[in-house]
Amino acid sequence: MNPNRVDSLTDLAYGVLIFVSVALFTVADSSVGLAFGFGVLASFIIHIAWKMARFDPDWMTRAVGETVEQTVEETMDEAVEEKVGETVERTVEETVGDTVDKTVEQTVEASVGETVEETVGDTVEKTVEETVDKAVQEKVDESVEVTVEETVEETVGDTVEKTVEETSQ
């Protein structure tokens, strides 16, 4: 005998018995049909429980265990994730935040300070040197030109006058 075939025939028999109880309820006295129907229903529930226990005796234990495990896992995952997130965030802010701020400040101060000092020093030195050189050159050129012109004019003028006076006499 095939167990699946026997189970199917048994289920079919219970279906027929439920149909008979409904027919008795309508044709005969309603209390007879009702009593027959409750009897069939009670025996069908017992049959279902027996069938489940026969094929897998630990089905209820496993089903409850899986449900409880899934619920606990979801609840714990959420709680642990939230708590760890808060703790890590707080620790990072307290520990790493101060350290990073101080390290960045010191590094930037050292690197940027030296670089800016060198760059500004070089730039200012070049600019001042070029500007001063130009200004001094222009001033010297101007002064020398004026002085040379005046000196040449006076000297040449005096010399020419003396020479002309000496020659005319």
Side-chain angles (χ1 to χ4, degrees), residues 54-152:
R54 188 184 80 187
F55 287 121
D56 191 6
D58 293 330
W59 70 273
M60 184 61 92
T61 306
R62 260 197 321 272
V64 170
E66 288 173 1
T67 305
V68 168
E69 181 182 344
Q70 185 179 8
T71 305
V72 167
E73 184 177 321
E74 289 173 0
T75 306
M76 290 304 294
D77 282 350
E78 291 172 5
V80 166
E81 186 177 320
E82 183 178 320
K83 191 65 176 175
V84 167
E86 290 174 2
T87 305
V88 166
E89 186 177 325
R90 191 172 345 113
T91 305
V92 166
E93 284 177 3
E94 291 173 359
T95 307
V96 176
D98 292 342
T99 306
V100 167
D101 287 347
K102 288 177 184 174
T103 306
V104 167
E105 184 179 320
Q106 291 171 351
T107 305
V108 166
E109 188 176 302
S111 299
V112 171
E114 291 174 10
T115 305
V116 166
E117 193 173 300
E118 289 175 12
T119 306
V120 167
D122 292 346
T123 307
V124 167
E125 186 177 324
K126 286 178 183 176
T127 307
V128 166
E129 191 175 296
E130 290 171 1
T131 307
V132 167
D133 280 351
K134 281 183 182 178
V136 166
Q137 186 67 34
E138 288 173 4
K139 198 66 170 171
V140 165
D141 286 349
E142 229 177 72
S143 296
V144 165
E145 190 178 308
V146 168
T147 307
V148 167
E149 278 181 14
E150 289 175 359
T151 308
V152 167

Side-chain angles (χ1 to χ4, degrees), residues 3-22:
N4 288 334
R5 197 172 287 158
V6 172
D7 284 335
S8 296
L9 290 174
T10 305
D11 291 340
L12 182 64
Y14 277 112
V16 169
L17 288 174
I18 291 172
F19 179 73
V20 169
S21 72
V22 169

